[in-house]
């Protein structure tokens, strides 16, 4: 069975601080996909990144970066120089097959204070 | 960029009534999904749909729920007899790889 854990329920930081959101997953499959979604106060789910299990290369996109480590089953997300607009709930998710449903973690609510 | 659309954005209904939530997936996508999010909680999978049939469903998706793709463009979720605990945000998604979510329909059952 697949499971996603996001141990941090809520994080508050002051603008311009760096912040890392943790994600730990469980799966029996050797092929799987990991995702991060952002849910701003308006409620929609905004796709941020997809990573497949064969690609452990870390990725950077502007102020966002992701650290995928299969050895610890983690897929952590770092925001550098946080901004107030980054305030949202962030969900990590896991899918065991292309096109299949995926399991969301419980989410981490990030508040960036001015 | 193509978007998944959902209507209505907010639906209020009385307990025991039937509701139909509508979604228009992205046109070249092959997989369709419904998820729900009870206020303040995590996003939960309800059902996936592929090749005009349900490919997977969760324990939440009981006999009160049904899905349909009536005309090749719309994808609907029907709740036959709503309960108070069905109050949630319902997200439709479609994918040809990475699921793209619609903006959601907030269902309030009174």
């Amino acid at each position: 069975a697949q499971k996603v854990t996001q141990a941090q329920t809520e994080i508050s930081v002051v603008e311009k601080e760096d912040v890392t959101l943790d994600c730990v997953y469980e799966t029996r499959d050797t092929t799987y996909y990991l995702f991060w979604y952002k849910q701003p106060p308006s409620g929609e789910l905004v796709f941020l990144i997809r990573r497949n299990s064969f690609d452990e290369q870390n990725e950077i996109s502007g102020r966002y970066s992701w650290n995928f480590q299969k050895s610890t089953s983690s897929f952590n997300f770092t925001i550098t120089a946080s901004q107030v607009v980054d305030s949202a709930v962030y969900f990590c998710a896991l899918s065991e097959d292309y096109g299949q449903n995926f399991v969301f973690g419980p989410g981490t609510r990030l508040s960036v204070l001015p | 960029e193509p978007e998944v659309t959902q209507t209505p954005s907010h639906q209020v209904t009385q307990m025991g009534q039937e509701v139909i939530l509508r979604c228009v997936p992205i046109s070249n996508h092959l997989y369709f999904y419904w998820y729900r999010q009870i206020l303040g909680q995590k996003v939960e999978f309800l059902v996936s749909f592929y090749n005009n049939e349900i490919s997977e469903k969760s324990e939440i998706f009981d006999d009160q729920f049904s899905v349909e793709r009536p005309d090749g463009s719309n994808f609907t979720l029907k709740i036959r007899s709503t309960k108070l605990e069905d109050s949630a945000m319902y997200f439709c998604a479609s994918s040809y790889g990475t699921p793209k979510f619609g903006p959601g329909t907030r269902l309030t059952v009174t």
Side-chain angles (χ1 to χ4, degrees):
Chain A
Q2 40 186 331
K3 184 179 177 183
V4 176
T5 302
Q6 295 177 254
Q8 305 145 310
T9 307
E10 292 192 36
I11 301 176
S12 286
V13 298
V14 177
E15 210 170 15
K16 297 184 184 172
E17 285 185 10
D18 299 348
V19 58
T20 295
L21 310 182
D22 298 333
C23 172
V24 173
Y25 62 91
E26 292 176 30
T27 177
R28 285 191 283 245
D29 279 14
T30 54
T31 302
Y32 51 88
Y33 300 86
L34 295 163
F35 304 78
W36 276 95
Y37 282 84
K38 173 182 179 180
Q39 187 174 44
S42 51
E44 72 270 27
L45 288 165
V46 179
F47 167 76
L48 295 178
I49 190 171
R50 179 181 79 174
R51 180 59 90 226
N52 74 50
S53 53
F54 295 111
D55 182 4
E56 284 195 75
Q57 193 170 3
N58 292 330
E59 179 154 341
I60 298 175
S61 175
R63 296 185 297 107
Y64 295 169
S65 61
W66 290 270
N67 183 352
F68 176 29
Q69 296 208 347
K70 285 179 78 169
S71 59
T72 55
S73 297
S74 65
F75 186 44
N76 296 338
F77 172 33
T78 297
I79 302 174
T80 303
S82 58
Q83 298 176 1
V84 172
V85 293
D86 295 327
S87 296
V89 180
Y90 290 86
F91 291 98
C92 181
L94 164 70
S95 172
E96 289 183 336
D97 200 359
Y98 187 85
Q100 293 298 306
N101 70 291
F102 47 85
V103 171
F104 282 82
T108 296
R109 180 177 299 279
L110 173 66
S111 299
V112 181
L113 308 174
Chain B
E1 187 179 335
E3 301 283 341
V4 176
T5 59
Q6 290 185 244
T7 54
S9 56
H10 190 191
Q11 172 99 44
V12 181
T13 189
Q14 289 190 328
M15 197 166 52
Q17 296 295 305
E18 174 184 286
V19 294
I20 297 176
L21 310 183
R22 292 184 166 79
C23 168
V24 179
I26 293 171
S27 60
N28 64 340
H29 283 185
L30 301 178
Y31 301 89
F32 313 109
Y33 313 84
W34 283 100
Y35 287 78
R36 80 171 186 191
Q37 184 183 30
I38 295 171
L39 186 64
Q41 299 187 23
K42 70 176 180 181
V43 182
E44 301 173 291
F45 168 73
L46 292 178
V47 66
S48 58
F49 194 85
Y50 171 70
N51 202 24
N52 287 318
E53 60 183 28
I54 291 173
S55 52
E56 194 170 354
K57 60 183 181 179
S58 71
E59 294 170 354
I60 303 168
F61 194 87
D62 61 22
D63 292 343
Q64 291 299 309
F65 292 89
S66 62
V67 289
E68 204 175 35
R69 190 157 159 77
D71 56 13
S73 62
N74 290 285
F75 180 50
T76 62
L77 174 69
K78 182 193 288 187
I79 309 174
R80 256 179 277 282
S81 177
T82 50
K83 303 187 280 271
L84 293 175
E85 53 265 38
D86 293 326
S87 295
M89 180 76 93
Y90 288 81
F91 290 102
C92 172
S94 68
S95 83
Y96 193 69
T98 297
K100 189 82 183 287
F101 284 83
T105 292
R106 181 166 298 286
L107 176 65
T108 303
V109 182
T110 61

